[in-house]
Amino acid sequence: MQKANKHTISFITLSVLLILCFFLNISLGSISIPNKEIINVLFGSAKNLSWQYIIIDYRLPKAFTAIIVGSGLGISGLMMQTLFRNPLAGPFVLGITSGASLGVAIVTMGASLLGGVMVGVLASKWSIVIAATLGSFLVLLTVLIVSTKVRDSMAILIIGLMFGSISAAVVNVLSYFSSAEELQQYFFWGFGSLGNLSWNELLILFALYSLGILLSLGTIKTLNTLLLGENYAKSLGLNIKHSRLLIITSTSLLAGTITAFTGPIAFIGLAIPHITRQVFNTSNHKTLLPAVFLFGAIVMLICDSIAQLPTSDYTLPINAITSLIGAPVVIWLLIRKRKMMF
Amino acid sequence: MKTNKSHTILKTKNLSIGYTSKKEETIIASNINIELKKGELVGLIGANGVGKSTLLKTLTKVQKALQGHVFINDKDLLKYNAIDLAKVLSLVLTEQISSKNLSVLELVALGRQPYTNWIGNLSKNDTTIVNEALNLTNIKDLKHKKCFELSDGQLQKVMISRALAQDTDLIILDEPTTHLDMYHKAYILKLLQKLAKETNKTILFSSHEIDLAIQLCDKLIVMSNGHVVSDTSTNLISKGTFATLFPKDLIIFNEKTASFKVKKE
């Protein structure tokens, strides 16, 4: 019972921290808005209309996106690490990013190859989202079909990596034939961005994300059983193929849609589960899943606040910030605890 | 709990085991007829490569039988679905568990998975059974230790405790004494004997500890060159079965001491 109490305290602390980070995130930006005014805007009694516009239509959706991205990528990373019994696995091992980048590369760089008329249609923002979604889902579908034929989960991991290499090679070939402008557009997508979503887009992202989270809740018991290894899990009555399908579907829903809307975001999916395991000192997914949700959201909000470079006009690429801030944290944790836990 | 002791838990009927590839069938052993009763401790012995693992895999539905049938509690093994099988048969394997970050209590509690709800919460009954399993294997003091802190001998006790928590009529262990020192080999097998007696579960294990198995088991299954013989150890000794186990150039079976000795030059 003592342990349960300790976890309750950690969960309350993290929840409070999440709320604080949320307010910190919307209070920082290129234009400084007094805290009192921010609260006024949130309660619908704003006096300054441009401030209201900035907060309601820019900073709020961005903060919500950060929460969705952080928690979603964290949870899919957790599921992948347990499924593949590999602490280096993340949501992207299944070829999600490479599939998405392939889709985007075809739209941004392949457009000229397809003919000048298509350029205007293809290069719009929605087409990038759709191309990324299609790309990641096609790669995942292939991996899923293969996974029903393969007995060992490790083989799926390698197949995912191979698909990654193939997509990367195709992207390279495409970029060789592309103009500088097209290349730039592709690379901008690769920087990742939380700030481009309108409320409507956010709603679609949220709907798919919720479905992914619901499915992930259904995998908690399965993930705990898998901690024993696949043969023990089978002897406990677990249907390995069904469980694998459920876990991969949930991961692809989460990581696939998030990547489609925000671009690839490194580090979060790999590292958040590790940070959580170190802090909570457990491998029980009943504790880990909600904890990863909170940690992921908090870290993402902090990274986004830093990427904004408060009071300046610049926004740094979020994909770089997550690694710059996060990787040293993981290194420090591992050195301090001297142990990689899994 | 002390029901009719002659009740049969595991039975095979004209069982043939082996592998099938695209073109041919490789038969490892055929005509296997064994019968394990409730509360029996049974050792499976035989030389390396004689097919002990294949037999265990066939009995636990990991691998298909080439011919014949396996019955658990008078029901054909093929008719069990995964969850129902998990409620009558639990395993202790040679492979390591994936995550050693689990605490002993968590690991043993995972034995209750076939019975728990969708999220795996333990009921009062589940907790009682888990505690009982911890007590029976004398690992109550280790309860809050992490698995990576345990010695091989302790970890094996924990794995046996987990199988007990699964509360099945039959427990099958694949070489539970490998990697252990002489004392712990004897300790684990003695523990299995005690568990079979106290819980009235049928326990089948494969082992290379022939002399220990002869002393402790109610019955032995001896595999050699495609033949499978099952009987009590005294009967097997008088029949001279152990002498056929290995090639005779290095070691010979001494019937008086019931153990193998290196042949003198």
Side-chain angles (χ1 to χ4, degrees), chain A residues 131-176:
Chain A
T133 317
L134 276 180
S136 56
F137 277 82
L138 275 180
V139 170
L140 273 163
L141 198 68
T142 330
V143 174
L144 268 180
I145 292 167
V146 174
S147 77
T148 56
K149 301 226 180 332
V150 178
R151 213 179 285 163
D152 189 3
S153 291
M154 286 303 160
I156 304 175
L157 188 73
I158 294 171
I159 290 166
L161 289 173
M162 289 304 113
F163 273 112
S165 306
I166 296 171
S167 327
V170 175
V171 170
N172 273 340
V173 171
L174 278 174
S175 57
Y176 185 76

Side-chain angles (χ1 to χ4, degrees), chain A residues 195-265:
Chain A
N196 285 334
L197 271 70
S198 68
W199 280 104
N200 281 337
E201 291 163 330
L202 188 61
L203 207 67
I204 295 171
L205 173 61
F206 181 72
L208 292 167
Y209 159 88
S210 307
L211 194 61
I213 292 286
L214 271 179
L215 287 180
S216 76
L217 290 178
T219 66
I220 290 181
K221 181 176 172 179
T222 304
L223 290 169
N224 279 337
T225 317
L226 282 173
L227 288 175
L228 294 176
E230 287 190 4
N231 285 330
Y232 272 118
K234 250 185 244 168
S235 83
L236 282 163
L238 189 79
N239 186 326
I240 299 282
K241 278 186 179 169
H242 285 181
S243 320
R244 228 191 251 160
L245 199 71
L246 186 65
I247 292 170
I248 293 181
T249 312
S250 167
T251 305
S252 20
L253 264 177
L254 289 171
T257 40
I258 288 171
T259 309
F261 278 96
T262 63
I265 288 171

Side-chain angles (χ1 to χ4, degrees), chain A:
Chain A
M1 287 317 273
Q2 246 179 345
K3 258 196 163 169
N5 280 336
K6 209 176 79 192
H7 284 167
T8 317
I9 292 165
S10 313
F11 274 121
I12 292 170
T13 320
L14 281 179
S15 307
V16 172
L17 207 61
L18 176 63
I19 294 167
L20 284 178
C21 287
F22 182 77
F23 280 108
L24 177 80
N25 185 275
I26 53 175
S27 68
L28 294 174
S30 50
I31 291 167
S32 72
I33 301 172
N35 285 339
K36 212 177 138 197
E37 278 303 306
I38 290 172
I39 290 162
N40 281 343
V41 168
L42 291 180
F43 288 97
S45 57
K47 286 161 203 146
N48 186 323
L49 281 180
S50 64
W51 284 352
Q52 186 184 356
Y53 175 78
I54 289 171
I55 288 172
I56 299 287
D57 283 326
Y58 182 69
R59 289 191 190 173
L60 266 183
K62 187 164 63 71
F64 282 126
T65 312
I67 292 177
I68 288 177
V69 169
S71 54
L73 290 182
I75 286 174
S76 43
L78 176 69
M79 290 191 285
M80 287 296 100
Q81 286 172 7
T82 305
L83 177 66
F84 292 121
R85 308 188 291 283
N86 188 332
L88 277 178
F92 298 139
V93 291
L94 293 173
I96 294 171
T97 329
S98 40
S101 6
L102 183 63
V104 173
I106 289 173
V107 167
T108 53
M109 305 193 287
S112 56
L113 297 176
L114 293 173
V117 198
M118 304 281 283
V119 176
V121 190
L122 282 178
S124 77
K125 197 183 140 209
W126 273 106
S127 67
I128 288 187
V129 169
I130 291 165
T133 317
L134 276 180
S136 56
F137 277 82
L138 275 180
V139 170
L140 273 163
L141 198 68
T142 330
V143 174
L144 268 180
I145 292 167
V146 174
S147 77
T148 56
K149 301 226 180 332
V150 178
R151 213 179 285 163
D152 189 3
S153 291
M154 286 303 160
I156 304 175
L157 188 73
I158 294 171
I159 290 166
L161 289 173
M162 289 304 113
F163 273 112
S165 306
I166 296 171
S167 327
V170 175
V171 170
N172 273 340
V173 171
L174 278 174
S175 57
Y176 185 76
F177 291 109
S178 304
S179 68
E181 227 168 277
E182 290 166 339
L183 267 180
Q184 195 186 27
Q185 199 187 4
Y186 174 73
F187 275 107
F188 267 120
W189 176 81
F191 287 153
S193 164
L194 302 179
N196 285 334
L197 271 70
S198 68
W199 280 104
N200 281 337
E201 291 163 330
L202 188 61
L203 207 67
I204 295 171
L205 173 61
F206 181 72
L208 292 167
Y209 159 88
S210 307
L211 194 61
I213 292 286
L214 271 179
L215 287 180
S216 76
L217 290 178
T219 66
I220 290 181
K221 181 176 172 179
T222 304
L223 290 169
N224 279 337
T225 317
L226 282 173
L227 288 175
L228 294 176
E230 287 190 4
N231 285 330
Y232 272 118
K234 250 185 244 168
S235 83
L236 282 163
L238 189 79
N239 186 326
I240 299 282
K241 278 186 179 169
H242 285 181
S243 320
R244 228 191 251 160
L245 199 71
L246 186 65
I247 292 170
I248 293 181
T249 312
S250 167
T251 305
S252 20
L253 264 177
L254 289 171
T257 40
I258 288 171
T259 309
F261 278 96
T262 63
I265 288 171
F267 166 80
I268 297 289
L270 171 72
I272 295 296
H274 284 300
I275 299 178
T276 316
R277 276 192 211 100
Q278 298 281 4
V279 171
F280 278 79
N281 192 21
T282 181
S283 285
N284 188 341
H285 291 81
K286 245 184 286 173
T287 310
L288 280 182
L289 203 94
V292 163
F293 176 96
L294 290 171
F295 261 117
I298 290 169
V299 171
M300 206 59 211
L301 282 169
I302 294 174
C303 286
D304 180 58
S305 306
I306 296 169
Q308 282 307 310
L309 286 181
T311 69
S312 91
D313 280 341
Y314 296 103
T315 309
L316 298 175
I318 189 77
N319 194 3
I321 296 297
T322 49
S323 306
L324 275 179
I325 308 296
V329 174
V330 174
I331 295 172
W332 173 74
L333 267 173
L334 286 177
I335 291 174
R336 203 181 60 119
K337 296 245 177 179
R338 290 202 197 106
K339 203 156 174 31
M340 184 82 155
M341 283 204 303
F342 175 65

